Amino acid sequence: MAVRMNLYGKALTPADRWQDAVQKLYPSALPAQKKIGPRAAFLGLCEAGLVKGIAAGEFVSGNRHKDYAVEAVKLLKAGTHKTVSQLWATVSEGDEADHQSQMDVVLALWKNGLIV
């Protein structure tokens, strides 16, 4: 939803697009709207210029979630990983960090042809 808003010509920042989309998807679930991992993954991909229709720029400060997402795209492009669990195991490099839906964001964009 957040990417398609851009494709329809609305002049919103990637952060605004994300916020608008999560408010529509989770109108009464504030914790779901505030999740940092998925948001940072989306903004990190936008920042890297990896999201169709969104120009690269500075959208999120240094954050491991964005790094996880960018690395996951590399793995998807290489064709070596295809599932959330495969991606997470590799990008987290055995880190004790819990998966926080970052790979779900990456795969959703990938499967919808929105990664460049």
Side-chain angles (χ1 to χ4, degrees):
M1 286 176 67
V3 176
R4 299 225 188 264
M5 282 179 225
N6 181 51
L7 298 177
Y8 294 131
K10 290 188 178 181
L12 300 172
T13 68
D16 291 338
R17 289 184 189 99
W18 179 264
Q19 190 59 37
D20 187 68
V22 295
Q23 285 175 336
K24 287 178 181 168
L25 288 170
Y26 308 106
S28 61
L30 192 58
Q33 292 179 22
K34 299 282 184 191
K35 286 184 79 171
I36 293 170
R39 179 182 186 275
F42 175 74
L43 295 177
L45 294 173
C46 292
E47 184 171 287
L50 294 171
V51 179
K52 184 179 182 179
I54 298 178
E58 265 189 65
F59 305 120
V60 65
S61 60
N63 186 301
R64 66 184 172 147
H65 302 293
K66 77 175 186 177
D67 296 336
Y68 293 148
V70 170
E71 187 61 30
V73 168
K74 292 177 189 174
L75 296 169
L76 288 167
K77 287 181 175 181
T80 58
H81 297 67
K82 297 181 182 191
T83 67
V84 165
S85 58
Q86 289 173 333
L87 290 166
W88 183 247
T90 301
V91 301
S92 64
E93 297 176 346
D95 188 352
E96 298 279 330
D98 291 330
H99 178 257
Q100 296 178 16
S101 301
Q102 306 94 322
M103 300 302 102
D104 296 308
V105 170
V106 174
L107 278 174
L109 293 169
W110 179 261
K111 289 178 180 179
N112 284 285
L114 297 171
I115 296 288
V116 294

